[in-house]
Amino acid sequence: MNPTELNTLIEGCKRNNRVSQRELYDAFSGLLFTICLRYSKNEAEDLLQMSFIKIFNNVKQYQGAGSFEGWIKRITVNTAITHYHKKNILSKSEDITDYKEEVSSDVESSLEKMSKNDLIEVINSLPDIYKISFNLYAIEGYKHNEIADMLGISEGTSKSQLSRARKMIQQKLKQTELMEEARTI
Amino acid sequence: MNSLDNIFKRSLASAETPAPSGLWSKIDKSLSSSETTAHLKKEALNQSKSLFSSLISTSILVVSIGVCSLLVSKNNIPVAQNNLPKTLPEKTSPIRERISQKTKTTKTQPKARNSKPSLHEIKLKSTPVTVITKINKNVPDLPLVAQPETEFNTQTNTAIKPSTLPDKIEEALNQEKKEEIHKKGEFVTFTIKYNNTSGKRVKNLKVWEEFPDWCDARTLETLGHNTTHQVKTIIKESQNTVEWKIKGDFSPDLLNPSNTGFIEYRVKINEDRKTSDLEKNKPGVK
């Protein structure tokens, strides 16, 4: 979609034009659904629905200052985080010292072979607090101080959660490899 | 960022997954229903406002006529003299003085309890909590108002809506019982509406509410809000309060001038929460 078409759609959405809203949904639902899947596979559909309702209800606030795609992505991520805040699970974290971890070449190669859906599965297998930190840092590109601010935790906690998430991912991949090896034997 | 992060980012940052079929129809339905609800709320508000205005006008008229008639009959003054000359000195005009007093009393009625329903009150039919909305201290010059009837204190930077409810649960429950709305143990839903009347953009916003003892903050559930930003709910058990921190990290227009927002939540009516519970939860007492 070129910028002119997108602007026409946004203007239509600002006037609550249902046809424009539908077209915008068709254009971005795939992208936003992947984000929702990364944060909560079981509740991804609800998150996507909530995100689009917020987008349509607040599209008048979008003044064209930045990328529209970035704006709706942020809304979706914020919706997911607010959802976790409601469940009150973000406060259940501990602040531990960060430690460095190395990623083995085996893990890297098995990750490279994995499909998008498999990677989403790996992320979803993490406990909620680690999953959110990993998503925000590794994929969304937030810094630790920003994540700490968003989640209401300390920077140290954010770092340690990321470390633990990475370590868990590696452990899971190793386990999967071992299981596959056992099957082939 | 390490190599593991890079692999995930490369594969998933721009990945697309088809959304479930039928989701659009749900969104469409929600949008239609929210549009209808907004329209109905607006209509209800307009109706209440016009009803209230006509009630006030009628009561002023009735009181004025009643007082005039009474005074005319008492003082044996012909009706034609009701149209008092404006040049008449106050002290020599007991009729004018008395009418004036009566009219003043009538005009103060809107400030009395439950006389003028705010948006909050219309939705709830009754208002069983004290609503206090504060603005973030970092934005000292912002006159943010929580309710249509809220008084704004420029010295403390707070907007305080006078309590319209009894402090004791018995009174509240009796009040509820009469109206047959809520009972002990039930959840009550509330909406806090805020409006930026400052003419300046707001970047960070803190809305907070405190409850009487019979509303237990620990049972609070945030049901919804209209902001696209992060909303963090902080329940302070020891103070029986809740804070919603709304933070804008990507857009300067978190709340533009004249824009409004709302937070909807529910709490349980609970008479079992005692002051001793609150004491236990105070910091440092544990």
Side-chain angles (χ1 to χ4, degrees), chain B residues 66-109:
Chain B
V67 170
C68 285
S69 311
L70 189 69
L71 293 175
V72 165
S73 62
K74 267 193 175 178
N75 292 286
N76 203 16
I77 298 170
V79 176
Q81 287 183 19
N82 273 341
N83 191 6
L84 292 169
K86 287 179 182 176
T87 51
L88 210 60
E90 288 279 328
K91 283 182 183 175
T92 59
S93 173
I95 301 172
R96 175 181 289 282
E97 204 171 336
R98 286 181 202 175
I99 291 173
S100 167
Q101 281 169 4
K102 284 283 178 186
T103 313
K104 272 180 189 168
T105 311
T106 315
K107 280 182 180 173
T108 58
Q109 277 182 354

Side-chain angles (χ1 to χ4, degrees), chain A residues 143-183:
Chain A
K143 291 172 186 167
H144 281 299
N145 61 345
E146 294 171 318
I147 296 170
D149 208 26
M150 287 164 90
L151 304 184
I153 56 177
S154 70
E155 262 189 74
T157 303
S158 172
K159 284 177 186 173
S160 68
Q161 285 175 353
L162 180 70
S163 278
R164 287 187 171 194
R166 285 171 179 159
K167 201 171 185 182
M168 279 184 171
I169 289 172
Q170 293 188 56
Q171 282 169 352
K172 279 178 193 300
L173 289 173
K174 278 176 188 169
Q175 278 173 5
T176 316
E177 276 174 16
L178 286 173
M179 280 171 72
E180 279 179 7
E181 275 175 23
R183 271 184 210 147

Side-chain angles (χ1 to χ4, degrees), chain A residues 18 61 108 116 149 166, chain B residues 5 16 28 35 247 253:
Chain A
R18 203 47 56 82
Q61 287 183 26
E108 271 188 45
K116 175 191 72 187
D149 208 26
R166 285 171 179 159
Chain B
D5 298 352
E16 292 195 15
D28 188 23
E35 281 164 12
K247 292 201 81 173
D253 49 359

Side-chain angles (χ1 to χ4, degrees), chain B residues 132-147:
Chain B
I132 301 179
T133 299
K134 279 193 171 182
I135 59 164
N136 193 318
K137 294 280 182 191
N138 297 331
V139 195
D141 54 348
L142 177 70
L144 190 74
V145 178
Q147 299 285 339

Side-chain angles (χ1 to χ4, degrees), chain B:
Chain B
M1 185 173 284
N2 69 17
S3 54
L4 186 139
D5 298 352
N6 276 328
I7 295 168
F8 276 93
K9 184 164 189 174
R10 207 170 50 236
S11 309
L12 297 177
S14 304
E16 292 195 15
T17 312
S21 59
L23 185 62
W24 169 252
S25 58
K26 284 184 188 174
I27 295 171
D28 188 23
K29 206 173 170 183
S30 298
L31 289 171
S32 305
S33 105
S34 64
E35 281 164 12
T36 314
T37 313
H39 180 71
L40 288 174
K41 273 184 184 172
K42 204 175 175 183
E43 270 194 358
L45 183 66
N46 286 339
Q47 279 177 3
S48 321
K49 275 183 180 171
S50 60
L51 182 68
F52 175 72
S53 309
S54 48
L55 272 173
I56 291 298
S57 314
T58 313
S59 49
I60 290 173
L61 190 67
V62 168
V63 168
S64 305
I65 291 171
V67 170
C68 285
S69 311
L70 189 69
L71 293 175
V72 165
S73 62
K74 267 193 175 178
N75 292 286
N76 203 16
I77 298 170
V79 176
Q81 287 183 19
N82 273 341
N83 191 6
L84 292 169
K86 287 179 182 176
T87 51
L88 210 60
E90 288 279 328
K91 283 182 183 175
T92 59
S93 173
I95 301 172
R96 175 181 289 282
E97 204 171 336
R98 286 181 202 175
I99 291 173
S100 167
Q101 281 169 4
K102 284 283 178 186
T103 313
K104 272 180 189 168
T105 311
T106 315
K107 280 182 180 173
T108 58
Q109 277 182 354
K111 287 181 183 173
R113 174 178 294 184
N114 295 334
S115 57
K116 183 178 179 182
S118 66
L119 283 176
H120 193 147
E121 288 161 344
I122 288 166
K123 183 175 173 57
L124 301 170
K125 296 183 184 173
S126 66
T127 315
V129 286
T130 305
V131 177
I132 301 179
T133 299
K134 279 193 171 182
I135 59 164
N136 193 318
K137 294 280 182 191
N138 297 331
V139 195
D141 54 348
L142 177 70
L144 190 74
V145 178
Q147 299 285 339
E149 287 183 84
T150 303
E151 292 171 12
F152 185 74
N153 184 335
T154 49
Q155 286 184 338
T156 57
N157 246 348
T158 53
I160 300 173
K161 184 178 183 295
S163 172
T164 56
L165 272 196
D167 290 328
K168 291 180 183 174
I169 177 128
E170 293 79 15
E171 292 172 41
L173 286 173
N174 288 336
Q175 184 181 317
E176 300 292 351
K177 208 173 177 180
K178 277 179 204 164
E179 296 180 16
E180 291 179 354
I181 303 170
H182 301 297
K183 290 175 186 171
K184 190 183 82 178
E186 280 186 0
F187 277 97
V188 199
T189 304
F190 301 99
T191 304
I192 296 179
K193 192 173 167 62
Y194 51 85
N195 180 21
N196 181 3
T197 58
S198 69
K200 292 177 183 175
R201 286 172 175 170
V202 187
K203 287 185 179 173
N204 294 306
L205 181 66
K206 187 165 81 174
V207 178
W208 69 275
E209 181 144 44
E210 65 180 24
F211 306 101
D213 281 351
W214 51 271
C215 269
D216 192 341
R218 292 174 298 185
T219 63
L220 181 133
E221 290 174 35
T222 306
L223 300 175
H225 51 75
N226 67 338
T227 177
T228 56
H229 297 72
Q230 300 150 32
V231 179
K232 190 177 164 190
T233 308
I234 303 163
I235 296 167
K236 292 186 179 172
E237 291 178 19
S238 58
Q239 296 164 13
N240 211 23
T241 61
V242 61
E243 276 182 16
W244 291 273
K245 281 188 177 174
I246 306 167
K247 292 201 81 173
D249 63 334
F250 59 89
S251 170
D253 49 359
L254 170 58
L255 193 66
N256 278 330
S258 82
N259 275 9
T260 58
F262 71 85
I263 291 175
E264 193 174 74
Y265 67 92
R266 65 176 200 168
V267 278
K268 203 172 193 177
I269 296 179
N270 175 22
E271 69 173 350
D272 300 326
R273 186 180 173 90
K274 293 170 187 169
T275 317
S276 55
D277 291 340
L278 298 173
E279 291 297 325
K280 275 179 203 168
N281 290 325
K282 274 185 180 173
V285 177
K286 278 183 182 176

Side-chain angles (χ1 to χ4, degrees), chain A residues 79-117:
Chain A
T79 305
I81 292 171
T82 303
H83 170 74
Y84 279 111
H85 273 304
K86 276 184 201 169
K87 285 164 76 178
N88 213 18
I89 61 157
L90 296 177
S91 56
K92 294 168 191 167
S93 56
E94 51 182 312
D95 195 355
I96 59 162
T97 317
D98 186 28
Y99 55 91
K100 290 199 173 185
E101 71 285 342
E102 288 179 1
V103 184
S104 71
S105 56
D106 293 348
V107 168
E108 271 188 45
S109 62
S110 51
L111 273 175
E112 294 281 8
K113 288 174 200 164
M114 289 174 94
S115 70
K116 175 191 72 187
N117 288 343

